[in-house]
Amino acid sequence: MIGLTIQQPKLNNVSTVMQFVLLGFSDLPSLQGFLFVIFSIMYLIILIGNCLIILITRLDPALHKPMYFFLANFSLLEICYVSVTLPRILFNLWTQDRRISVLSCATQMCFFLMLGATECFLLAVMSYDRYVAICNPLHYPLVMNPTKCSQLAAGSWFSGIPVQIGQTCQIFSLHFCNSNRISHFFCDLPPILKLACGDTSVHELSVYVVAMLFVAFPFMLILASYSRIIVTILKLPTATGRAKAFSTCSSHLVVVFLFFGSATITYLRPKSTHSPGIDKLLSLFYTIVTPMFNPMIYSLRNKDVITALRKLLLKK
């Protein structure tokens, strides 16, 4: 077994892992340098794209609206979310030292789960904003006032913290005696649970319950919002009005299905159906690929953002 272990009494014949090994992309030894370059470029794209969105939403008065307030929060979240996993991936690829202490692994998982919960709720809040704007336009300024927007954003950021800290503590209270080799590029729930000794059915159930609360519930709220939005759009008298209303929602819908689709398959599948290759591929979508495309999706399909970006570039 790679890594240090502390031998427990022979009575229970269990050894507790003191560090893990993130196997990551070690099965592609000839591509380590190439992967380092690709992931570095992706990280730069994510940082630059999301920072630009935060900057223009702050500087352009035309974007001082609830929709863009939430978009700026979302861009900040994406930077934090990706920074939990990508720097570690780059470090492992560059140094080929894949060891990670149990504390570092638990910390990474905890922040990843907290920020993942924030993303689920923030996407639900953004869909609610679009619902109010399209279905109740006359009440929109009253309902989505600055205080309400700040409360919704704060709730999205902080509501998952106690639950995810509790879940992380629960997972890392287990003994890991099977191996310390994690078949993943970061400390995620499914591969960590695979390493645990004994019966983990209670812990798996808790993962499902938390996933239902923080993934399925926000997704149902989003579906409810968009079902009302679609009905309202179809009732609009002109094709131009329908196209304009739908254009304000299409970017958000694309992001929702990219993120929730891959995350739902990962966390709501039975443990027996998990395979390292598929898990890594799905995780790449919701941890790196989606955050990379989000600025492009929102900017290319939003005339206000394109106009603000053009004005910023012309000033410079």
Side-chain angles (χ1 to χ4, degrees):
M1 182 183 289
I2 298 175
L4 303 173
T5 60
I6 292 179
Q7 295 297 324
Q8 300 290 332
K10 291 182 179 179
L11 203 66
N12 52 19
N13 196 28
V14 170
S15 60
T16 302
V17 170
M18 297 301 292
Q19 65 180 6
F20 293 108
V21 178
L22 287 166
L23 296 179
F25 304 98
S26 58
D27 54 337
L28 304 168
S30 60
L31 296 177
Q32 298 298 293
F34 175 73
L35 289 172
F36 179 83
V37 172
I38 291 297
F39 284 125
S40 296
I41 293 169
M42 293 172 84
Y43 194 32
L44 282 173
I45 291 170
I46 291 165
L47 292 177
I48 293 168
N50 285 292
C51 283
L52 270 176
I53 287 181
I54 294 169
L55 187 64
I56 60 176
T57 53
R58 292 289 296 172
L59 296 180
D60 196 316
L63 300 184
H64 292 175
K65 300 173 183 176
M67 176 181 175
Y68 300 108
F69 168 75
F70 292 125
L71 181 56
N73 270 268
F74 189 69
S75 293
L76 176 61
L77 171 64
E78 292 293 61
I79 292 170
C80 298
Y81 183 64
V82 170
S83 296
V84 171
T85 55
L86 246 178
R88 185 80 205 191
I89 295 170
L90 294 173
F91 173 81
N92 292 350
L93 289 169
W94 180 258
T95 64
Q96 293 299 300
D97 181 3
R98 297 185 173 86
R99 292 172 298 176
I100 182 171
S101 69
V102 171
L103 179 60
S104 296
C105 190
T107 302
Q108 186 186 51
M109 178 189 282
C110 188
F111 276 98
F112 177 77
L113 293 175
M114 287 190 296
L115 293 169
T118 299
E119 181 149 354
C120 292
F121 282 120
L122 196 53
L123 286 169
V125 167
M126 291 168 80
S127 71
Y128 174 71
D129 172 69
R130 292 299 82 210
Y131 160 73
V132 178
I134 292 170
C135 300
N136 296 293
L138 297 177
H139 295 97
Y140 183 70
L142 183 65
V143 175
M144 300 305 291
N145 58 69
T147 303
K148 180 74 169 287
C149 290
S150 298
Q151 289 171 346
L152 288 170
S156 299
W157 279 96
F158 297 115
S159 58
I161 290 176
V163 174
Q164 300 300 0
I165 289 175
Q167 183 167 42
T168 304
C169 291
Q170 182 190 40
I171 295 299
F172 281 88
S173 67
L174 292 166
H175 287 293
F176 301 101
C177 57
N178 297 328
S179 170
N180 69 339
R181 299 163 67 87
I182 302 173
S183 298
H184 214 316
F185 52 83
F186 73 101
C187 295
D188 200 5
L189 279 169
I192 292 290
L193 273 175
K194 273 190 172 183
L195 303 182
C197 309
D199 183 18
T200 59
S201 56
V202 174
H203 296 84
E204 287 178 58
L205 180 61
S206 74
V207 171
Y208 278 109
V209 171
V210 173
M212 291 297 291
L213 179 63
F214 289 101
V215 179
F217 178 65
F219 186 61
M220 294 303 291
L221 291 177
I222 292 168
L223 288 181
S225 296
Y226 275 105
S227 63
R228 296 290 300 274
I229 287 169
I230 290 167
V231 170
T232 303
I233 289 174
L234 293 175
K235 289 179 181 178
L236 293 175
T238 63
T240 307
R242 287 193 293 270
K244 185 178 179 181
F246 187 72
S247 69
T248 64
C249 304
S250 54
S251 302
H252 183 248
L253 271 175
V254 171
V255 172
V256 164
F257 282 110
L258 278 173
F259 178 77
F260 278 98
S262 52
T264 300
I265 295 169
T266 299
Y267 289 102
L268 295 181
R269 279 187 302 153
K271 182 182 175 182
S272 57
T273 65
H274 283 275
S275 72
I278 294 173
D279 283 350
K280 279 191 276 191
L281 185 62
L282 288 169
S283 297
L284 278 174
F285 266 95
Y286 65 83
T287 58
I288 299 171
V289 176
T290 303
M292 184 181 71
F293 283 117
N294 283 349
M296 302 179 210
I297 291 168
Y298 279 110
S299 60
L300 292 175
R301 298 190 59 85
N302 191 302
K303 290 179 181 178
D304 291 340
V305 173
I306 291 172
T307 303
L309 186 57
R310 190 177 293 136
K311 283 196 290 186
L312 178 67
L313 294 174
L314 287 172
K315 281 181 183 178
K316 296 296 180 186

